[in-house]
Amino acid sequence: MAGALKVSVWRGGADGALRAFEVPRHASQTVLDVVTYIQRKLDPTLAYRYACRVGMCGSCAMTVNGVPRWTCRTHVDKVVRNDELQIGPLKNLPVIRDLVTDMREFFDKWARAKGELVPSATRHDDFARVPPASRGRQLADAAVECIGCGVCYSSCDVVSWNPDYLGPAALNRAWTLVNDVRDTGNRARLKAVAGDAGCHACHTHMSCTERCPKQLAPTASIAGLKRAAALAALKGEF
Ligand code: SF4
Ligand code: SF4
Ligand code: FES
């Protein structure tokens, strides 16, 4: 495939600006290939982040023509407009430099949502046997494949309006644990996600579910948390 792409790339911090590059176009080219070409051939000072290149590590997410995406699995052909690409850092997160955002507040919110397993067994116990057909297992399985890419968080208007909001990824993680029969931390977890900045702040806009590259549905997880938190409140567990 001949021709060239006109690529505008964010340079600098929050007060930075777009800078134009021209990149040769080829078949099966991904957006991450384009960014890597710029960094290797045109401007070695360009900062960006990636690791696996196969959609597993979640580190390569950027805003491409206005939409947050995992760049290693996004083909240029799918997103290019008039041979032009605009590539910037993820929204809703502080920009460190160029295409690199500071993910600390994103993962701090996983901790605030009590996103770690509180085991009921010790290492001396036998493995837990959780039947694949059980309801809890199926609900947990449906939400568990999150790679922590931040695409949903960057898509969420409520995070933009209220930076304290826990956001779709942390709440989705909390929901997997609410359904994990090995876990004993649900009372504290549901209390943590029921506050003003938790699940009840979600306006069900669905952007997270539309954009998640792993086809997860954080909106459904958050709806489950709303029901579970309301039930816990009715039972006087908070
Ligand atoms: S459904 Fe909720 S969490 Fe998802 S993008 Fe919309 S407001 Fe944010
Ligand atoms: S829920 Fe989806 S979009 Fe959000 S961090 Fe996990 S994999 Fe990424
Ligand atoms: S580089 Fe790992 S998901 Fe894209």
Side-chain angles (χ1 to χ4, degrees), residues 32 50-60 70 72 147:
L32 185 61
Y50 75 96
C52 71
R53 301 190 79 159
V54 290
M56 291 184 71
C57 72
S59 65
C60 67
W70 54 358
C72 72
I147 55 172

Side-chain angles (χ1 to χ4, degrees), residues 106 110 145-153 168-169 172 208 211-214 216 218:
F106 174 74
W110 290 46
E145 295 291 340
C146 174
I147 55 172
C149 64
V151 162
C152 57
Y153 189 87
N172 180 73
C208 54
R211 304 258 166 84
C212 173
K214 299 290 288 181
L216 304 184

Side-chain angles (χ1 to χ4, degrees), residues 152-159 161 165-169 171 199 201-210 217-220 222 226:
C152 57
Y153 189 87
S154 175
S155 307
C156 178
D157 287 342
V158 178
V159 177
W161 302 329
Y165 175 47
L166 291 170
L171 292 170
C199 57
C202 168
H203 291 186
T204 323
H205 289 164
M206 300 284 288
S207 311
C208 54
T209 299
E210 283 164 18
T219 319
I222 294 166
K226 286 179 181 175

Side-chain angles (χ1 to χ4, degrees), residues 53-177:
R53 301 190 79 159
V54 290
M56 291 184 71
C57 72
S59 65
C60 67
M62 301 170 202
T63 305
V64 183
N65 282 352
V67 176
R69 297 182 181 277
W70 54 358
T71 57
C72 72
R73 299 291 296 269
T74 300
H75 282 99
V76 169
D77 288 348
K78 263 181 83 176
V79 292
V80 72
R81 285 189 219 125
N82 303 322
D83 293 327
E84 290 178 11
L85 279 182
Q86 194 179 97
I87 307 174
L90 284 180
K91 288 180 282 185
N92 291 344
L93 287 161
V95 182
I96 297 174
R97 184 161 71 85
D98 303 340
L99 302 172
V100 179
T101 49
D102 184 342
M103 302 295 285
R104 274 180 295 189
E105 67 190 48
F106 174 74
F107 287 113
D108 284 351
K109 287 178 177 178
W110 290 46
R112 267 176 54 199
K114 308 263 180 228
E116 74 282 356
L117 182 80
V118 183
S120 52
T122 70
R123 67 179 63 196
H124 306 297
D125 294 312
D126 196 4
F127 291 112
R129 288 175 175 75
V130 185
S134 65
R135 180 168 162 75
R137 170 71 180 266
Q138 290 194 343
L139 289 170
D141 279 357
V144 82
E145 295 291 340
C146 174
I147 55 172
C149 64
V151 162
C152 57
Y153 189 87
S154 175
S155 307
C156 178
D157 287 342
V158 178
V159 177
S160 308
W161 302 329
N162 175 11
D164 201 35
Y165 175 47
L166 291 170
L171 292 170
N172 180 73
R173 170 66 182 160
W175 179 240
T176 63
L177 291 168

